[in-house]
């Protein structure tokens, strides 16, 4: 912990500390010349020595990453056209990918927001003309008489007017019949959710 | 080839130990440490700046020495290093480890 603190302190004072190190090494060289007659060459490469001493405090890879980022920024400033095209391409691609993954995750990967999503089933009617749905009357009948299902909800696709009407009918049924009995019909919470209606707090649990 | 080497390369990690040992006797500046090492080893250990100053920075980072600016013997501004209590403990520990290592190496060299 103390070591990290010392490192941070060095970073904060790196300018002054580098200058001190340079002064210290100058002193060393001057003393060598004065007493041993050895020049700077005999002591080795001063710049290399300074860099090595500095790398003790600042991890070389941190400095290298910083230099790479600066190099990248300078390159982008030199070629603004390329930078703009790259930015637009990257941001739009990332945006599209994020949207697709989010949508796929919400539709396919996340469980339905109900208490027991594994028990939710989708019902269709198989007729001569293929797979079809139910009329409102059939839905009401099933909702009232079904013993194996704890609750039903109807959805519609296509014409917005029909969809609205269907939702209105089904929604009022959910509010009137299913929500008051939410203890028994746990699925009614999902019904209210799917209908875009918020169930009262005490009934939603 | 065939000529006697004037100086020997230090074993990794031993420079730190030697600097700590030199500083255990008295406070010194970088040149003084290098000079003392050379003198005591009878010119075998000649430590250059590129080894000495990174080692001193390492010791500073670990809190084993502290540095203060002062006046040198020829009245120039110099940075003096002093051993800290943590450095003294480190010296004792490293010295012990080094003795064990040398003993082990010698045993191998004598018998193998």
């Amino acid at each position: 912990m103390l070591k990290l603190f010392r490192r941070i302190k060095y970073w904060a004072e790196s300018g002054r500390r580098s200058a001190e190190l340079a002064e210290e090494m100058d002193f060393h060289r001057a003393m060598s010349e004065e007493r041993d007659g050895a020049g700077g060459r005999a002591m080795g490469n001063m710049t290399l020595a300074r860099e090595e001493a500095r790398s003790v405090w600042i991890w070389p890879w941190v400095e290298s990453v910083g230099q790479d980022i600066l190099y990248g920024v300078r390159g982008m400033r030199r070629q603004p056209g390329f930078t703009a095209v790259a930015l637009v391409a990257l941001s739009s691609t990332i945006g599209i990918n994020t949207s697709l993954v989010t949508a796929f995750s919400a539709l396919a990967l996340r469980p339905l927001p109900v208490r027991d999503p594994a028990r939710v089933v989708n019902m269709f009617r198989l007729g001569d003309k293929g797979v079809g749905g139910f009329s409102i009357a059939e839905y009401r009948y099933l909702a009232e008489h079904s013993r194996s299902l704890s609750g039903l909800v109807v959805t519609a696709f296509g014409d917005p007017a029909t969809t609205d009407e269907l939702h209105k009918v089904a929604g009022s049924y959910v509010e009137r019949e299913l929500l008051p009995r939410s203890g028994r019909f746990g699925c009614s919470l999902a019904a209210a959710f799917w209908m875009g209606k918020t169930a009262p707090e005490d009934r939603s649990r | 080839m065939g000529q006697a080497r004037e100086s020997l390369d230090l074993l990794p990690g031993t420079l730190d130990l030697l600097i700590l040992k030199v500083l255990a006797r008295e406070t010194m500046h970088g040149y003084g440490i290098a000079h003392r090492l050379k003198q005591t080893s009878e010119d075998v250990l000649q430590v250059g700046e590129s080894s000495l100053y990174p080692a001193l920075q390492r010791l500073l980072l670990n809190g084993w020495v502290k540095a203060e600016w002062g006046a040198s013997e020829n009245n120039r501004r110099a940075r003096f290093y002093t051993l800290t209590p943590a450095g003294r403990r480190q010296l004792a520990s490293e010295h012990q480890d080094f003795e064990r290592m040398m003993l082990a190496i010698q045993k191998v060299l004598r018998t193998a």
Side-chain angles (χ1 to χ4, degrees), chain A residues 157-177:
Chain A
F157 303 96
D159 181 20
T162 317
T163 310
D164 283 352
E165 182 62 24
L166 192 60
H167 278 187
K168 204 165 27 177
V169 174
S172 66
Y173 174 78
V174 167
E175 282 190 334
R176 195 181 67 247
E177 299 294 333

Side-chain angles (χ1 to χ4, degrees), chain A residues 2-52:
Chain A
L2 266 174
K3 209 165 157 178
L4 182 67
F5 176 72
R6 286 192 200 107
R7 232 183 254 278
I8 293 167
K9 197 164 175 256
Y10 181 90
W11 288 343
E13 304 168 345
S14 62
R16 183 173 63 81
R17 300 285 281 269
S18 292
E20 281 182 351
L21 184 65
E23 188 183 344
E24 192 178 0
M25 289 169 120
D26 284 343
F27 167 78
H28 190 123
R29 193 162 54 167
M31 289 292 282
S32 294
E33 281 170 357
E34 196 178 299
R35 297 209 171 161
D36 313 326
R41 197 167 55 84
M43 294 307 298
N45 188 325
M46 286 281 280
T47 313
L48 179 69
R50 255 180 243 169
E51 283 304 309
E52 282 187 5

Side-chain angles (χ1 to χ4, degrees), chain B residues 20-91:
Chain B
L20 289 174
K21 181 67 184 169
V22 167
L23 291 177
R25 284 185 62 183
E26 59 182 311
T27 295
M28 275 189 181
H29 47 64
Y31 173 78
I33 295 168
H35 187 69
R36 174 65 56 82
L37 286 173
K38 188 181 169 191
Q39 200 177 36
T40 315
S41 68
E42 294 171 351
D43 291 352
V44 175
L45 301 176
Q46 295 189 30
V47 183
E49 284 178 330
S50 55
S51 307
L52 178 68
Y53 286 94
L56 284 170
Q57 299 296 310
R58 231 174 6 251
L59 299 179
L60 278 171
L61 175 63
N62 285 307
W64 297 332
V65 298
K66 60 178 181 180
E68 276 172 351
W69 287 95
S72 71
E73 51 275 28
N74 57 1
N75 219 21
R76 285 188 61 169
R77 203 169 107 91
R79 207 173 184 206
F80 287 87
Y81 293 89
T82 312
L83 205 63
T84 62
R88 210 166 282 279
R89 286 194 295 275
Q90 183 65 20
L91 170 63

Side-chain angles (χ1 to χ4, degrees), chain A residues 124-143:
Chain A
F124 296 98
R125 191 178 56 178
L126 198 60
D128 297 335
K129 293 177 182 175
V131 177
F134 299 97
S135 68
I136 293 173
E138 284 170 325
Y139 158 72
R140 278 180 169 167
Y141 180 83
L142 283 170

